[in-house]
Amino acid sequence: MAQNLGPESLHEESYCDSTVNRKSHHSEEVKKNLVTRLNRVEGQIRGIKGLIEKDTYCDDVITQISATQAALNSVAKILLEGHMKNCVVERIQEGDIDVLDEFLITIQKLMKK
């Protein structure tokens, strides 16, 4: 019953509304996948907190932090891919090239980390 819910299988499932009150619209499958991933990240954060409270060796805590950052990055990649392939393309097709500046700022924010 395991499904491949990685970024490559989800990019066609979401799109963004380019109206003034922009919202992203994801299929139920995509939302479920993202929420599942975020629930895992939330659990990892609680685990890291517990490690610190138990005075766990620093290197082990740092390893867990790295794994949590990677998990959060995977959520960002799914959202970024869907945004690029759907929202950005749609807005460019509508003649809104300002979306490119918005997208570049988003990439810069992600790369700061």
Side-chain angles (χ1 to χ4, degrees):
M1 183 168 166
Q3 295 178 347
N4 179 6
L5 296 178
E8 59 282 344
S9 68
L10 300 174
H11 60 81
E12 299 294 330
E13 302 281 341
S14 62
Y15 65 95
C16 298
D17 185 358
S18 62
T19 62
V20 176
N21 295 322
R22 292 182 305 206
K23 293 183 178 183
S24 64
H25 301 277
H26 304 286
S27 71
E28 289 305 312
E29 180 183 13
V30 172
K31 280 197 264 189
K32 182 179 177 185
N33 180 34
L34 292 170
V35 168
T36 297
R37 288 171 183 266
L38 289 169
N39 285 338
R40 275 191 227 124
V41 169
E42 186 178 17
Q44 288 174 301
I45 296 292
R46 283 192 304 272
I48 292 167
K49 181 181 174 188
L51 293 175
I52 291 171
E53 291 171 343
K54 294 175 187 171
D55 296 320
T56 303
Y57 186 62
C58 297
D59 191 58
D60 295 337
V61 177
I62 292 168
T63 298
Q64 291 305 311
I65 290 171
S66 177
T68 303
Q69 288 172 327
L72 206 49
N73 285 341
S74 77
V75 170
K77 284 184 210 175
I78 292 169
L79 289 169
L80 191 60
E81 182 177 350
H83 183 58
M84 179 71 165
K85 289 184 175 181
N86 297 291
C87 310
V88 173
V89 168
E90 182 180 302
R91 287 177 58 190
I92 289 171
Q93 288 172 341
E94 293 171 354
D96 180 5
I97 60 167
D98 291 337
V99 70
L100 293 176
D101 290 329
E102 176 186 287
F103 186 74
L104 290 173
I105 290 168
T106 300
I107 296 293
Q108 289 170 355
K109 288 176 187 175
L110 283 172
M111 293 179 77
K112 281 184 185 179
K113 297 169 174 59

